[in-house]
Amino acid sequence: MLISCKECNHKISDKANTCPNCGYPLRRIKPAVKSKEGLFLKSMNFGCFLFIIFLILRKHT
Ligand SMILES: [Zn+2]
């Protein structure tokens, strides 16, 4: 399917990431960024989990 670029109105494929005419980015949300963010949140939760365990262990000693 062909769409027109918002910047230059050049006819481009909707599967293209950027406009070949002016380089305008058509897809801002990339799955790689999304998974990286998920991994960050996962590591954050793991860090919180370790911190809670650390606090519990400190209370007992
Ligand atoms: Zn364009």
Side-chain angles (χ1 to χ4, degrees), residues 5 8 19 22:
C5 175
C8 63
C19 172
C22 68

Side-chain angles (χ1 to χ4, degrees), residues 5-55:
C5 175
K6 285 178 184 176
E7 276 296 297
C8 63
N9 285 325
H10 189 81
K11 294 283 177 193
I12 41 174
S13 169
D14 65 340
K15 286 174 183 175
N17 290 326
T18 55
C19 172
N21 194 46
C22 68
Y24 182 80
L26 301 164
R27 294 179 184 203
R28 289 188 179 181
I29 303 159
K30 289 175 184 175
V33 175
K34 212 174 179 180
S35 67
K36 202 177 178 183
E37 207 173 271
L39 199 79
F40 175 72
L41 287 171
K42 213 173 177 180
S43 64
M44 277 283 287
N45 284 335
F46 186 65
C48 286
F49 177 71
L50 284 178
F51 185 66
I52 287 160
I53 291 208
F54 174 74
L55 286 176

